[in-house]
Structures are given as structure tokens and as C-alpha cells.
Amino acid sequence: MSEQAKTPAIPATKQAPAEYFTGGTAWVTMVVEGNPTDCTVGDVTFEPGTRNNWHSHPSGQILVVTAGVGYYQEQGQPARLLRPGDAVSIAPGVVHWHGASATSIFTHYAINPGVSKGVADWGAPVTDEEYQAAQA
Ligand code: MN
């Protein structure tokens, strides 16, 4: 094996797919790929005001907040304010969104188990009205 082949890859940060986000840009660095655990871990940073669309996960999701201030909201429930150290455990199929506050970046690990069943089922954008209500 060559020295080059033994050098670990530096994880690449990519812009999250814009069609699933509103209000700004989000960035994703994959830190764990899906093998051998069928679970991925992504480090996701949202610009202030940026949130993802309403969505659910076929096998659920765990969020662990590492920086900034943001929100998590399940359909029909009040939004939760999230700060570093907070964690959210999301059951399979529960419709929700997560994203930054209007004035702060927001960074969380997104832990996605069971990715062989798919990562997310995406729905409509979180409207400005829904986003403003989350901050009330
Ligand atoms: Mn989610």
C-alpha cells in the first residue's frame, strides 16, 4: 500500500441541496459514512435564518447541537429552542424541521440510522409565517 493510499481523506464540506432549504444556505460535512453500521453522521451548519423543509426520516434521526442557536419543531407542536449540548431524538416518520435562529448560525450533528431504507422524505418549505411563529 502506498503512503498516499494510507492517508485518510479530509471530509469535504458541501452545500446542502438548496431545494430542501429556505432562508439561506446550509453546509454539510459527512463525518461517518453508512458502512458498516447503516448509520451516517453529518455535521450540518445553517446560516442565520436558514431552515430545512418539513420532512421525516424512515428510521428516525438524532440531532446533537454543537454551536449557535436554532429550532426544532414537530408538526402540530411548539418549536423547541436549541443550544449547544441539546439533543433531539426523532421517531421514524415524524414530520419536523430544524434550522437556525434568525440572528445566529446553528450547527448540529445529524445522526441518521437505517439509511439503507432512505435518509429523508422531503415536504414543503417552512414558510416565513411558520418560521416567525417558531420564534414567538
Ligand atoms: Mn430531520
Side-chain angles (χ1 to χ4, degrees), residues 52 55-57 61 63 72 90 96-98 108 110 112 120 122:
N52 52 26
H55 65 281
S56 63
H57 304 280
Q61 183 179 54
L63 306 176
Y72 168 78
I90 305 161
H96 66 278
W97 63 270
H98 25 116
H108 63 52
N112 296 306
W122 292 102

Side-chain angles (χ1 to χ4, degrees), residues 16-136:
E19 63 265 40
Y20 303 137
F21 291 79
T22 302
T25 300
W27 303 90
V28 181
T29 306
M30 293 310 299
V31 294
V32 176
E33 299 291 351
N35 291 316
T37 59
D38 201 28
C39 179
T40 62
V41 180
D43 186 346
V44 185
T45 294
F46 301 75
E47 294 178 345
T50 306
R51 64 276 189 183
N52 52 26
N53 288 10
W54 292 101
H55 65 281
S56 63
H57 304 280
S59 301
Q61 183 179 54
I62 296 169
L63 306 176
V64 180
V65 180
T66 57
V69 181
Y71 298 101
Y72 168 78
Q73 185 173 27
E74 293 182 1
Q75 199 167 47
Q77 301 294 323
R80 266 182 71 183
L81 182 68
L82 298 176
R83 295 181 182 281
D86 290 337
V88 183
S89 188
I90 305 161
V94 170
V95 175
H96 66 278
W97 63 270
H98 25 116
S101 77
T103 57
S104 174
I105 65 122
F106 180 55
T107 303
H108 63 52
Y109 285 119
I111 302 164
N112 296 306
V115 290
S116 58
K117 293 184 190 175
V119 175
D121 296 315
W122 292 102
V126 172
T127 66
D128 288 345
E129 291 73 18
E130 290 171 321
Y131 183 65
Q132 283 157 17
Q135 300 166 69

